[in-house]
Amino acid sequence: KIPNLPANGTLTLVGSITPFAVGDFVSVADITASKLIFTPDLNVFGTDYARFDFQVQDNGSTASLADVDLSI
C-alpha cells in the first residue's frame, strides 16, 4: 500500500500512464518484476529529492510504515 506520494515526481507501473494515488496497492509480483517506476520531474535533481512511504501486507494485517528516500 502506498499511503503517501512523493512531493516531486510520480509513481507508476510499467505500461500504465495513470500515476498511483494515495492508498493504492502494488503487488509483490509487480515489485519483484521491476514494474514499479519512479519518474522524476523534468530538470530537477538533488539529495533527498523525493520520499514516499509504503506498507507491506501479507495474509495477515498491514505492517508499520517504511520509507524510501530518493536522490536524483
Coordinates of all heavy atoms in Angstrom, one line a residue:
K1 N 0.9 -1.2 0.0 CA 0.0 0.0 0.0 C 0.9 1.2 0.0 O 1.9 1.3 0.7 CB -0.9 0.0 1.2 CG -1.8 1.2 1.3 CD -2.7 1.0 2.6 CE -3.6 2.2 2.7 NZ -4.4 2.1 3.9
I2 N 0.5 2.2 -0.8 CA 1.2 3.5 -0.8 C 0.4 4.5 -0.1 O -0.6 5.1 -0.6 CB 1.4 4.0 -2.3 CG1 2.1 2.9 -3.2 CG2 2.2 5.3 -2.3 CD1 3.5 2.5 -2.8
P3 N 0.7 4.8 1.2 CA -0.1 5.7 2.0 C 0.1 7.2 1.7 O -0.7 8.0 2.1 CB 0.2 5.4 3.4 CG 1.6 4.8 3.4 CD 1.7 4.1 2.0
N4 N 1.3 7.5 1.1 CA 1.5 8.9 0.7 C 2.4 8.9 -0.6 O 3.1 7.9 -0.8 CB 2.0 9.8 1.8 CG 3.4 9.4 2.2 OD1 4.2 8.9 1.5 ND2 3.7 9.5 3.5
L5 N 2.4 9.9 -1.3 CA 3.2 10.0 -2.6 C 4.3 11.0 -2.5 O 4.3 11.9 -1.6 CB 2.2 10.5 -3.7 CG 1.1 9.5 -4.0 CD1 0.1 10.1 -4.9 CD2 1.6 8.2 -4.6
P6 N 5.3 10.8 -3.3 CA 6.4 11.8 -3.3 C 5.9 13.2 -3.7 O 5.1 13.3 -4.6 CB 7.4 11.2 -4.3 CG 6.7 10.2 -5.1 CD 5.5 9.8 -4.3
A7 N 6.5 14.2 -3.1 CA 6.1 15.6 -3.5 C 6.6 15.9 -4.9 O 6.0 16.7 -5.6 CB 6.7 16.6 -2.5
N8 N 7.7 15.3 -5.3 CA 8.3 15.5 -6.6 C 8.3 14.2 -7.4 O 8.6 13.1 -6.8 CB 9.8 16.0 -6.5 CG 9.9 17.2 -5.7 OD1 9.3 18.2 -6.0 ND2 10.8 17.2 -4.7
G9 N 7.9 14.2 -8.6 CA 7.9 13.0 -9.4 C 6.6 12.2 -9.3 O 5.7 12.6 -8.5
T10 N 6.6 11.1 -10.0 CA 5.4 10.2 -9.9 C 5.8 8.8 -9.8 O 6.9 8.4 -10.2 CB 4.5 10.4 -11.2 OG1 5.3 10.1 -12.3 CG2 3.9 11.8 -11.3
L11 N 4.9 8.0 -9.3 CA 5.0 6.5 -9.2 C 4.0 5.9 -10.2 O 2.8 6.3 -10.1 CB 4.7 6.0 -7.8 CG 5.7 6.3 -6.7 CD1 5.2 5.9 -5.4 CD2 7.1 5.6 -7.0
T12 N 4.4 5.0 -11.0 CA 3.5 4.3 -12.0 C 4.0 2.9 -12.1 O 5.0 2.5 -11.6 CB 3.5 4.9 -13.4 OG1 4.9 4.9 -13.8 CG2 3.0 6.3 -13.4
L13 N 3.2 2.1 -12.8 CA 3.6 0.7 -13.1 C 4.0 0.7 -14.6 O 3.4 1.5 -15.4 CB 2.4 -0.3 -12.9 CG 2.1 -0.7 -11.5 CD1 0.9 -1.6 -11.5 CD2 3.3 -1.3 -10.8
V14 N 4.9 -0.1 -15.0 CA 5.3 -0.3 -16.4 C 4.1 -0.5 -17.2 O 3.2 -1.3 -16.8 CB 6.3 -1.4 -16.5 CG1 6.5 -1.7 -18.0 CG2 7.6 -1.0 -15.9
G15 N 3.9 0.2 -18.3 CA 2.8 0.0 -19.2 C 1.5 0.8 -18.8 O 0.6 0.8 -19.5
S16 N 1.6 1.5 -17.7 CA 0.5 2.4 -17.3 C 0.8 3.8 -17.4 O 1.9 4.2 -17.1 CB 0.1 2.0 -15.8 OG -0.9 2.9 -15.4
I17 N -0.2 4.6 -17.8 CA 0.1 6.1 -17.8 C -0.6 6.8 -16.6 O -0.4 8.0 -16.4 CB -0.5 6.7 -19.1 CG1 -2.0 6.4 -19.3 CG2 0.3 6.2 -20.3 CD1 -2.6 7.2 -20.4
T18 N -1.3 6.0 -15.8 CA -2.0 6.5 -14.7 C -1.1 6.5 -13.4 O -0.7 5.4 -13.0 CB -3.3 5.7 -14.4 OG1 -4.1 5.7 -15.6 CG2 -4.1 6.3 -13.2
P19 N -0.7 7.6 -12.8 CA 0.1 7.6 -11.6 C -0.7 6.9 -10.5 O -1.9 6.9 -10.4 CB 0.4 9.0 -11.3 CG -0.1 9.8 -12.5 CD -1.0 8.9 -13.3
F20 N 0.1 6.4 -9.5 CA -0.5 5.9 -8.3 C -1.2 7.0 -7.5 O -0.8 8.2 -7.6 CB 0.6 5.3 -7.4 CG 0.9 3.9 -7.7 CD1 1.9 3.6 -8.6 CD2 0.2 2.9 -7.0 CE1 2.2 2.3 -8.9 CE2 0.5 1.6 -7.3 CZ 1.5 1.3 -8.2
A21 N -2.2 6.7 -6.8 CA -2.9 7.6 -5.9 C -2.7 7.1 -4.5 O -2.4 6.0 -4.3 CB -4.4 7.6 -6.2
V22 N -2.9 8.0 -3.5 CA -2.8 7.7 -2.1 C -3.7 6.5 -1.8 O -4.9 6.5 -2.2 CB -3.1 8.9 -1.2 CG1 -3.2 8.4 0.2 CG2 -2.0 9.9 -1.4
G23 N -3.2 5.5 -1.2 CA -3.9 4.3 -0.8 C -3.9 3.2 -1.8 O -4.5 2.1 -1.5
D24 N -3.3 3.4 -3.0 CA -3.2 2.3 -4.0 C -2.3 1.2 -3.5 O -1.4 1.4 -2.7 CB -2.7 2.8 -5.3 CG -3.7 3.6 -6.1 OD1 -4.9 3.6 -5.8 OD2 -3.3 4.2 -7.1
F25 N -2.6 0.0 -4.0 CA -1.8 -1.2 -3.7 C -1.0 -1.6 -4.9 O -1.4 -1.4 -6.0 CB -2.7 -2.4 -3.3 CG -3.3 -2.2 -1.9 CD1 -4.5 -1.5 -1.8 CD2 -2.7 -2.8 -0.8 CE1 -5.1 -1.4 -0.5 CE2 -3.3 -2.7 0.4 CZ -4.5 -2.0 0.6
V26 N 0.2 -2.1 -4.6 CA 1.1 -2.7 -5.6 C 1.4 -4.1 -5.2 O 1.7 -4.3 -4.0 CB 2.3 -1.8 -5.9 CG1 3.1 -1.6 -4.7 CG2 3.1 -2.4 -7.0
S27 N 1.4 -5.0 -6.1 CA 1.6 -6.4 -5.7 C 3.1 -6.7 -5.6 O 3.9 -6.1 -6.2 CB 1.0 -7.4 -6.8 OG 1.7 -7.3 -8.0
V28 N 3.4 -7.7 -4.8 CA 4.8 -8.2 -4.7 C 5.3 -8.7 -6.0 O 6.4 -8.4 -6.4 CB 4.8 -9.4 -3.7 CG1 6.2 -10.0 -3.7 CG2 4.5 -8.9 -2.3
A29 N 4.4 -9.3 -6.8 CA 4.8 -9.7 -8.2 C 5.3 -8.6 -9.0 O 6.3 -8.6 -9.7 CB 3.7 -10.5 -8.8
D30 N 4.6 -7.4 -9.0 CA 4.9 -6.2 -9.7 C 6.3 -5.6 -9.2 O 7.1 -5.2 -10.0 CB 3.8 -5.2 -9.7 CG 2.7 -5.5 -10.6 OD1 2.8 -6.4 -11.5 OD2 1.6 -5.0 -10.4
I31 N 6.5 -5.7 -7.9 CA 7.7 -5.1 -7.4 C 8.9 -6.0 -7.8 O 9.9 -5.5 -8.3 CB 7.6 -5.0 -5.9 CG1 6.6 -3.9 -5.5 CG2 9.0 -4.6 -5.3 CD1 6.3 -3.8 -4.1
T32 N 8.8 -7.3 -7.6 CA 9.9 -8.2 -7.9 C 10.2 -8.2 -9.4 O 11.3 -8.6 -9.9 CB 9.7 -9.6 -7.4 OG1 8.4 -10.1 -7.9 CG2 9.6 -9.6 -5.9
A33 N 9.2 -7.9 -10.3 CA 9.3 -7.9 -11.7 C 9.8 -6.5 -12.2 O 9.8 -6.2 -13.4 CB 8.0 -8.2 -12.4
S34 N 10.2 -5.6 -11.2 CA 10.7 -4.3 -11.5 C 9.7 -3.4 -12.3 O 10.0 -2.6 -13.2 CB 12.0 -4.3 -12.3 OG 13.0 -4.9 -11.5
K35 N 8.4 -3.6 -12.0 CA 7.4 -2.8 -12.7 C 7.0 -1.5 -12.0 O 6.3 -0.7 -12.5 CB 6.1 -3.7 -12.9 CG 6.3 -4.8 -13.9 CD 5.1 -5.6 -14.1 CE 5.2 -6.6 -15.2 NZ 4.0 -7.3 -15.4
L36 N 7.4 -1.3 -10.7 CA 7.1 -0.1 -10.0 C 8.2 0.9 -10.5 O 9.4 0.7 -10.3 CB 7.1 -0.3 -8.5 CG 6.9 0.9 -7.7 CD1 5.5 1.5 -7.9 CD2 7.1 0.6 -6.2
I37 N 7.7 2.0 -11.1 CA 8.6 3.0 -11.7 C 8.4 4.4 -11.0 O 7.3 4.9 -10.9 CB 8.3 3.2 -13.2 CG1 8.5 1.8 -13.9 CG2 9.2 4.2 -13.8 CD1 9.8 1.2 -13.9
F38 N 9.6 5.0 -10.6 CA 9.6 6.4 -10.2 C 10.1 7.2 -11.3 O 11.2 7.0 -11.8 CB 10.4 6.6 -8.9 CG 10.6 8.0 -8.5 CD1 9.6 8.7 -7.9 CD2 11.7 8.7 -8.9 CE1 9.7 10.0 -7.6 CE2 11.9 10.0 -8.6 CZ 10.8 10.7 -7.9
T39 N 9.3 8.3 -11.7 CA 9.8 9.2 -12.7 C 9.9 10.6 -12.1 O 8.9 11.1 -11.6 CB 8.7 9.2 -13.9 OG1 8.5 7.9 -14.4 CG2 9.2 10.1 -15.0
P40 N 11.2 11.1 -12.1 CA 11.4 12.4 -11.5 C 10.8 13.5 -12.4 O 10.6 13.3 -13.6 CB 12.9 12.6 -11.4 CG 13.4 11.6 -12.5 CD 12.4 10.5 -12.6
D41 N 10.5 14.7 -11.8 CA 10.1 15.8 -12.6 C 11.2 16.2 -13.5 O 12.4 16.0 -13.2 CB 9.7 17.0 -11.7 CG 8.4 16.7 -10.8 OD1 7.6 15.9 -11.3 OD2 8.3 17.3 -9.7
L42 N 10.9 16.9 -14.6 CA 12.0 17.3 -15.6 C 12.8 18.4 -15.0 O 12.4 19.3 -14.3 CB 11.3 17.8 -16.9 CG 10.6 16.8 -17.7 CD1 9.9 17.5 -18.9 CD2 11.5 15.7 -18.2
N43 N 14.1 18.3 -15.2 CA 15.1 19.3 -14.9 C 15.2 19.6 -13.4 O 15.5 20.7 -13.0 CB 14.9 20.6 -15.7 CG 14.9 20.4 -17.2 OD1 15.8 19.6 -17.7 ND2 13.9 20.9 -17.9
V44 N 14.9 18.6 -12.6 CA 15.0 18.8 -11.1 C 15.8 17.7 -10.6 O 15.6 16.5 -11.0 CB 13.6 18.9 -10.5 CG1 13.7 19.1 -9.0 CG2 12.7 19.9 -11.1
F45 N 16.7 18.0 -9.6 CA 17.5 16.9 -9.1 C 18.1 17.4 -7.7 O 18.0 18.5 -7.4 CB 18.7 16.5 -10.0 CG 19.6 17.6 -10.4 CD1 20.7 17.9 -9.6 CD2 19.3 18.4 -11.5 CE1 21.5 19.0 -9.9 CE2 20.1 19.5 -11.8 CZ 21.2 19.8 -11.0
G46 N 18.7 16.4 -7.0 CA 19.3 16.8 -5.7 C 19.2 15.7 -4.7 O 18.5 14.7 -4.9
T47 N 19.9 15.9 -3.6 CA 19.9 14.9 -2.5 C 18.6 15.0 -1.8 O 18.0 16.1 -1.7 CB 21.0 15.3 -1.5 OG1 22.3 15.3 -2.2 CG2 21.1 14.3 -0.4
D48 N 18.0 13.9 -1.4 CA 16.7 13.9 -0.7 C 15.6 14.5 -1.6 O 14.8 15.3 -1.2 CB 16.7 14.6 0.6 CG 17.6 13.9 1.6 OD1 17.8 12.6 1.5 OD2 18.2 14.5 2.5
Y49 N 15.7 14.2 -2.9 CA 14.8 14.8 -3.9 C 13.4 14.4 -3.7 O 12.5 15.2 -3.8 CB 15.3 14.2 -5.3 CG 14.3 14.6 -6.4 CD1 14.3 15.8 -7.0 CD2 13.4 13.6 -6.9 CE1 13.5 16.1 -8.0 CE2 12.5 13.9 -7.9 CZ 12.5 15.2 -8.5 OH 11.7 15.5 -9.5
A50 N 13.1 13.1 -3.3 CA 11.7 12.7 -3.1 C 11.7 11.6 -2.1 O 12.7 10.9 -1.8 CB 11.2 12.2 -4.4
R51 N 10.6 11.5 -1.5 CA 10.3 10.4 -0.4 C 8.9 10.0 -0.5 O 8.0 10.8 -0.7 CB 10.6 11.0 0.9 CG 10.4 10.1 2.0 CD 10.5 10.7 3.4 NE 10.2 9.7 4.4 CZ 10.4 9.9 5.7 NH1 10.9 11.0 6.1 NH2 10.1 9.0 6.5
F52 N 8.7 8.7 -0.3 CA 7.4 8.1 -0.2 C 7.4 7.0 0.8 O 8.4 6.4 1.1 CB 6.8 7.7 -1.5 CG 7.4 6.5 -2.2 CD1 7.0 5.2 -2.0 CD2 8.5 6.7 -3.0 CE1 7.6 4.2 -2.6 CE2 9.1 5.7 -3.7 CZ 8.6 4.4 -3.4
D53 N 6.3 6.8 1.4 CA 6.1 5.7 2.4 C 5.4 4.5 1.8 O 4.7 4.7 0.8 CB 5.3 6.1 3.6 CG 6.1 7.2 4.4 OD1 7.3 7.2 4.4 OD2 5.4 8.0 5.1
F54 N 5.6 3.3 2.4 CA 4.8 2.2 1.9 C 4.6 1.3 3.1 O 5.2 1.4 4.1 CB 5.6 1.4 0.8 CG 6.9 0.8 1.3 CD1 6.9 -0.5 1.7 CD2 8.1 1.5 1.2 CE1 8.1 -1.1 2.1 CE2 9.3 1.0 1.6 CZ 9.3 -0.4 2.1
Q55 N 3.6 0.4 3.0 CA 3.2 -0.6 4.0 C 3.1 -1.9 3.3 O 2.6 -2.0 2.1 CB 1.9 -0.3 4.6 CG 1.9 1.0 5.5 CD 0.6 1.3 6.0 OE1 -0.3 1.6 5.3 NE2 0.4 1.2 7.3
V56 N 3.6 -2.9 3.9 CA 3.6 -4.3 3.4 C 2.4 -5.0 4.1 O 2.3 -4.9 5.3 CB 4.9 -5.0 3.6 CG1 4.8 -6.4 3.1 CG2 6.0 -4.3 2.9
Q57 N 1.7 -5.8 3.3 CA 0.6 -6.6 3.8 C 0.8 -8.0 3.3 O 0.9 -8.3 2.1 CB -0.8 -6.0 3.4 CG -1.9 -6.8 4.0 CD -3.3 -6.2 3.6 OE1 -3.3 -5.3 2.8 NE2 -4.3 -6.7 4.1
D58 N 0.8 -8.9 4.3 CA 0.9 -10.3 3.9 C -0.6 -10.9 4.1 O -1.5 -10.2 3.9 CB 1.9 -11.1 4.7 CG 1.7 -11.0 6.2 OD1 0.6 -10.6 6.7 OD2 2.6 -11.3 7.0
N59 N -0.7 -12.1 4.4 CA -2.1 -12.7 4.6 C -2.7 -12.3 5.9 O -3.7 -12.8 6.2 CB -2.1 -14.2 4.3 CG -1.1 -14.9 5.3 OD1 -0.5 -14.3 6.1 ND2 -1.0 -16.2 5.1
G60 N -2.0 -11.5 6.7 CA -2.5 -11.0 7.9 C -2.8 -9.5 7.9 O -3.4 -9.0 7.0
S61 N -2.3 -8.8 8.9 CA -2.5 -7.4 9.0 C -1.5 -6.6 8.2 O -0.5 -7.1 7.7 CB -2.5 -6.9 10.4 OG -1.3 -7.2 11.0
T62 N -1.7 -5.3 8.1 CA -0.8 -4.4 7.4 C 0.3 -4.0 8.4 O 0.1 -3.7 9.5 CB -1.5 -3.2 6.9 OG1 -2.6 -3.6 6.1 CG2 -0.6 -2.2 6.2
A63 N 1.6 -4.0 7.9 CA 2.7 -3.7 8.7 C 2.9 -2.2 8.9 O 2.2 -1.4 8.3 CB 4.0 -4.2 8.1
S64 N 3.8 -1.8 9.8 CA 4.1 -0.4 10.0 C 4.7 0.3 8.8 O 5.1 -0.4 7.8 CB 5.1 -0.3 11.1 OG 4.6 -0.8 12.3
L65 N 4.7 1.6 8.8 CA 5.2 2.4 7.7 C 6.7 2.2 7.5 O 7.4 2.1 8.5 CB 4.9 3.8 7.8 CG 3.5 4.3 7.6 CD1 3.5 5.8 8.0 CD2 3.1 4.1 6.2
A66 N 7.2 2.1 6.3 CA 8.6 2.2 6.0 C 8.7 3.3 4.9 O 7.7 3.6 4.3 CB 9.1 0.8 5.4
D67 N 9.9 3.8 4.7 CA 10.0 4.8 3.7 C 11.1 4.6 2.7 O 12.0 3.8 2.9 CB 10.2 6.2 4.3 CG 11.4 6.3 5.2 OD1 12.5 5.8 4.9 OD2 11.3 6.9 6.3
V68 N 11.0 5.3 1.6 CA 12.0 5.3 0.5 C 12.4 6.7 0.3 O 11.6 7.6 0.1 CB 11.5 4.7 -0.8 CG1 12.5 4.8 -1.9 CG2 11.0 3.2 -0.6
D69 N 13.7 7.0 0.4 CA 14.3 8.3 0.1 C 15.1 8.2 -1.2 O 15.9 7.4 -1.4 CB 15.2 8.8 1.2 CG 14.4 9.1 2.5 OD1 13.4 9.8 2.4 OD2 14.8 8.6 3.5
L70 N 14.8 9.2 -2.1 CA 15.4 9.1 -3.5 C 16.3 10.4 -3.7 O 15.8 11.5 -3.4 CB 14.4 9.0 -4.6 CG 13.5 7.8 -4.5 CD1 12.3 8.0 -5.4 CD2 14.2 6.6 -4.8
S71 N 17.5 10.2 -4.2 CA 18.3 11.3 -4.6 C 18.5 11.1 -6.1 O 18.9 10.0 -6.6 CB 19.7 11.3 -3.9 OG 19.5 11.5 -2.5
I72 N 18.3 12.2 -6.8 CA 18.5 12.1 -8.3 C 19.7 13.0 -8.7 O 19.8 14.1 -8.3 CB 17.2 12.7 -9.0 CG1 15.9 12.0 -8.5 CG2 17.3 12.7 -10.5 CD1 15.9 10.5 -8.8

